[in-house]
Amino acid sequence: MLVTIHSSRPIGGSITAPPSKSMAHRAVLCAALATGSSHITNLEFSKDISATLAAAGQLCARVTTGPADAVVEGLGRFAPLTAPVDCCESGSTLRFLIPIASLTGQEVTFTGRGRLMERPQGPYENLFREKGIAWSFKDGVLSVDGGKGYDDYALSPGEYRLPGNVSSQFFTGLLFVLPLLDGDSTLVPTTPLESRDYLEMTRSVLELAGVESRWEGDVLHIPGRQHYAPFEAAVEADWSQAAFWYAAIALGSKLELEGLNAFSVQGDMAVVPHFLRLTHPGDLTIDLSGIPDLLPPLAVMAAVRSGTTRFVNAARLRMKESDRLATVCAMLTALGGRCEEGADSLTVTGGTLTGGTVDSA
């Protein structure tokens, strides 16, 4: 499909930011792990959220959807699986569900599309093999041992050590299941923790379902023998997607963004101070270790300002649905911008974007 966008006057008006996919994934899975009905409103049924809802319905819940909401009735048990769990292209769906699979009392097989099954799962594989849990990956299909039954899980309580510079999705997946085990556990980053804000998002939704955890420094303590309770919640607006409208403002549009929670735990609220920094000339360095999803809109802002902007600590962006360091650089270059990739960085030299043809595949 070829879409042509012609230069015109800046856009204006009010924009309501769409709901957060990150928060929606977490709400759906917390509701599925509860016993009883939870009502989740302000949902947008993207392919990723639809994959998580379908997986919840396949594993342990009854799901009824409305135009922008869902009732997720957790069954308090896991259903016998008759087909693989298709995670589509959603890394969150896959990585959140892998630890949940260890609770099911059966082998769980996962499939996906696009680059999903090529994305690294090493932290889980290492942990599962260390715990003596069967793990098999062949020809794009992942199979995980689900233990012996609902009260005899494959995972056991204790200390779980993960590199802090890998995706926070690995930490979140474990955080979903560790409260259900019959003893206390800890999540211990073995290197500096880069995405603590994403774990705060997880903890905020767990709290809605009555599940507790606490920080001691960078170590997360999770009491065992907890239970998920049903809840009602509206998915808050997404600061990650709002960032693209901030890019439009940087390009000269006069917009008012509505519906955003100024007290959100979403780390991508950082778009606001970075936007303000990028409205001034001069050289800047922006650390993406905790906000990797902000690179595309921030890079556009950087391309139209006066000065050089260096985005650093961005190696994880090469492991997304695409290599986002490469694709963002290719986008800016195609539009007449100047940028240079590093192994874990992107340097953008500001100027005027002239337009061009961008491959969005």
Side-chain angles (χ1 to χ4, degrees):
M1 179 176 68
L2 180 64
V3 177
T4 302
I5 301 173
H6 298 282
S7 177
S8 64
R9 63 186 181 185
I11 57 177
S14 297
I15 298 289
T16 299
S20 165
K21 285 199 307 181
S22 295
M23 298 296 272
H25 282 297
R26 289 159 169 80
V28 168
L29 291 179
C30 284
L33 291 170
T35 300
S37 293
S38 298
H39 187 204
I40 304 169
T41 58
N42 197 34
L43 272 178
E44 186 173 87
F45 297 102
S46 65
K47 290 182 179 180
D48 287 5
I49 298 305
S50 296
T52 294
L53 284 164
Q58 192 175 357
L59 287 168
C60 57
R62 293 189 186 95
V63 176
T64 304
T65 58
D69 69 322
V71 174
V72 180
E73 182 186 355
L75 303 177
R77 57 180 173 79
F78 289 96
L81 289 175
T82 58
V85 177
D86 182 1
C87 298
C88 295
E89 295 188 63
S90 174
S92 293
T93 305
L94 177 60
R95 288 175 174 165
F96 292 172
L97 287 177
I98 287 173
I100 292 174
S102 73
L103 310 179
T104 63
Q106 59 193 308
E107 183 179 71
V108 180
T109 299
F110 295 101
T111 60
R113 305 173 198 178
R115 293 185 67 200
L116 178 63
M117 303 310 289
E118 300 172 16
R119 294 170 68 177
Q121 309 300 337
Y124 278 157
E125 181 176 4
N126 294 337
L127 271 178
F128 277 46
R129 295 195 185 282
E130 177 186 317
K131 303 284 184 182
I133 301 171
W135 174 286
S136 172
F137 181 76
K138 184 177 181 181
D139 298 329
V141 177
L142 172 65
S143 297
V144 178
D145 180 13
K148 297 178 181 178
Y150 199 82
D151 295 317
D152 189 3
Y153 301 141
L155 288 176
S156 56
E159 183 180 84
Y160 286 78
R161 301 173 66 85
L162 291 170
N165 60 345
V166 300
S167 171
S168 64
Q169 292 168 348
F170 296 107
F171 286 87
T172 285
L174 289 166
L175 186 50
F176 281 126
V177 304
L178 295 181
L180 298 173
L181 305 184
D182 63 0
D184 299 347
S185 299
T186 54
L187 278 172
V188 181
T190 58
T191 61
L193 186 59
E194 292 187 355
S195 297
R196 183 164 173 155
D197 288 330
Y198 283 96
L199 288 181
E200 286 302 287
M201 292 168 63
T202 307
R203 293 181 67 238
S204 71
V205 182
L206 264 64
E207 287 174 4
L208 284 176
V211 175
E212 300 177 353
S213 59
R214 71 181 188 280
W215 290 104
E216 290 186 8
D218 278 344
V219 176
L220 189 56
H221 292 256
I222 305 106
R225 305 179 188 89
Q226 298 190 66
H227 302 279
Y228 285 81
F231 58 91
E232 293 195 11
V235 177
E236 66 177 48
D238 189 13
W239 278 98
S240 302
Q241 295 187 62
F244 290 91
W245 296 111
Y246 275 95
I249 295 170
L251 289 166
S253 294
K254 297 187 180 300
L255 295 170
E256 293 183 5
L257 302 182
E258 298 181 345
L260 292 161
N261 178 6
F263 302 98
S264 174
V265 296
Q266 294 180 52
D268 285 348
M269 277 185 62
V271 66
V272 177
H274 288 312
F275 163 77
L276 294 174
R277 294 174 71 200
L278 288 164
T279 60
H280 299 286
D283 295 343
L284 286 177
T285 298
I286 295 178
D287 186 342
L288 293 176
S289 59
I291 50 170
D293 291 341
L294 290 184
L295 175 64
L298 291 180
V300 170
M301 297 182 209
V304 297
R305 65 186 291 271
S306 176
T308 297
T309 308
R310 189 164 183 260
F311 298 96
V312 298
N313 295 325
R316 282 185 293 142
L317 283 160
R318 296 197 183 278
M319 303 299 177
K320 295 283 188 177
E321 294 87 347
S322 62
D323 180 340
R324 285 192 193 164
L325 282 178
T327 55
V328 168
C329 190
M331 171 193 72
L332 293 180
T333 301
L335 294 174
R338 292 178 292 168
C339 64
E340 181 180 350
E341 288 182 63
D344 66 346
S345 66
L346 188 71
T347 301
V348 180
T349 302
T352 302
L353 298 181
T354 58
T357 299
V358 175
D359 183 358
S360 299

